[in-house]
DNA sequence: ATTTGTGCAAAACCTTTGCACTGGG
DNA sequence: CCCAGTGCAAAGGTTTTGCACAAAT
């Protein structure tokens, strides 16, 4: 298991390639992210590593994860945004999410619904019972020319 | 517009049907949720109503929205959970989300990818430029018999 | 009258930030 | 050496909670 592409040696290389300083904290955090691919939060990683590395602080975990994301070595699993948002429409439907304005727009398309329904009807998941699903389509309202990317809220 | 199924009268009925007391706060908040279907956060609703109803507190908005969700009159647009979570796998893929354990599991299926890719290639969105999308499949690990629904975290 | 809902303020929670210190290049 | 990275503690922002008061059935 040592050489499964996330031994320290190859991680060092990856960090260095991106011009990032190689620190023991980054190696530990990066390896933890790769090794248990449980899609952890910063907190979860902190819990995992703190026994073996009691000196690493939670703030460093946060900072390091952001650094890895910036370097393209990890990805944030984006939810709509931090706020929990509500919908009075209780039936299953797809949402368009505008990355500029944070608007959420209902989207219904018989073809898409049909496609997915049919897929889920046919598909067997081993050891997983599906209750529902959500499809979020990200993009921007309007056309490609106005590509300013604000990160506003509210 | 007064009678578009979210006038106070029909909202009163809906609340009463669920055994909820009809209060002016609930009517205002519920109507706001329906009227501007912008998929708001609690904060957004509060902003919208506070000028006309300065006495309604933010805490009430939170509580009322939760009440509506419990009663099945609204839905939380669930993100994975409140925490921002990370993934070392940077390519597009689908996630299975276990509603019992909050685990996130990678899911790849050539058929599904093909289906969606083909759909997006073919589909024209009017006034919306798609950058990417995410499919989250909710359910529980294991089978239907162990249907305990914890809301744990960490 | 009783029970449920509301408003306030405080607490809890998660995440970010400022700054002095440390350590890698 | 120098600058980027780290740790601490404090601040920031969002959501939840406890409790006394108000309102609905």
């Amino acid at each position: 298991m040592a050489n499964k592409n996330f031994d320290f040696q190859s991680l060092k290389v990856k960090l260095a390639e991106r011009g990032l300083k190689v620190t023991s904290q980054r190696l530990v955090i990066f390896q933890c992210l790769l090794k248990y691919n449980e899609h952890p939060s910063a907190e979860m990683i902190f819990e995992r590593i703190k026994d073996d590395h009691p000196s690493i602080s939670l703030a460093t975990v946060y900072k390091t994860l952001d650094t890895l994301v910036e370097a393209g070595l990890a990805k944030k699993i984006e939810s709509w945004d931090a706020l929990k948002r509500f919908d009075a429409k209780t039936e299953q439907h797809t949402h368009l999410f505008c990355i500029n304005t944070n608007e959420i727009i209902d989207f219904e398309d018989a073809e898409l619904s049909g496609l997915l329904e049919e897929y889920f009807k046919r598909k067997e998941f081993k050891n997983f019972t599906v209750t529902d699903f959500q499809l979020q389509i990200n993009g921007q309202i309007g056309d490609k020319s106005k590509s300013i990317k604000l990160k506003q809220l509210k």
Side-chain angles (χ1 to χ4, degrees), chain A residues 69-113:
Chain A
V69 170
E70 271 172 47
L73 293 171
K75 212 176 167 180
K76 250 184 189 143
I77 301 182
E78 286 291 356
S79 21
W80 310 85
D81 55 52
L83 297 179
K84 291 167 189 161
R85 293 174 68 169
F86 294 85
D87 192 348
K89 184 172 186 170
T90 52
E91 316 87 58
Q92 172 72 51
H93 59 287
T94 292
H95 290 117
L96 303 181
F97 178 66
C98 178
I99 55 179
N100 292 335
T101 63
N102 278 354
E103 276 175 271
I104 296 173
I105 303 148
D106 285 339
F107 175 72
E108 260 151 320
D109 182 65
E111 189 191 346
L112 180 59
S113 315

Side-chain angles (χ1 to χ4, degrees), chain A residues 51-153:
Chain A
D51 288 338
D52 289 337
H53 308 273
S55 66
I56 299 182
S57 77
L58 179 55
T60 298
V61 176
Y62 275 105
K63 286 173 184 167
T64 300
L65 287 171
D66 284 344
T67 306
L68 292 177
V69 170
E70 271 172 47
L73 293 171
K75 212 176 167 180
K76 250 184 189 143
I77 301 182
E78 286 291 356
S79 21
W80 310 85
D81 55 52
L83 297 179
K84 291 167 189 161
R85 293 174 68 169
F86 294 85
D87 192 348
K89 184 172 186 170
T90 52
E91 316 87 58
Q92 172 72 51
H93 59 287
T94 292
H95 290 117
L96 303 181
F97 178 66
C98 178
I99 55 179
N100 292 335
T101 63
N102 278 354
E103 276 175 271
I104 296 173
I105 303 148
D106 285 339
F107 175 72
E108 260 151 320
D109 182 65
E111 189 191 346
L112 180 59
S113 315
L115 223 61
L116 288 170
E117 258 167 52
E118 203 239 317
Y119 172 81
F120 281 107
K121 209 169 289 166
R122 194 180 34 197
K123 181 72 189 175
E124 283 289 332
F125 289 83
K126 49 190 174 325
N127 199 38
F128 191 85
T129 309
V130 177
T131 56
D132 74 327
F133 63 91
Q134 345 171 179
L135 180 59
Q136 169 184 340
I137 301 172
N138 301 314
Q140 33 199 11
I141 295 168
D143 71 336
K144 293 184 175 75
S145 49
K146 5 177 176 152
S147 287
I148 319 105
K149 192 161 180 178
L150 300 172
K151 194 63 191 180
Q152 75 192 44
L153 187 45

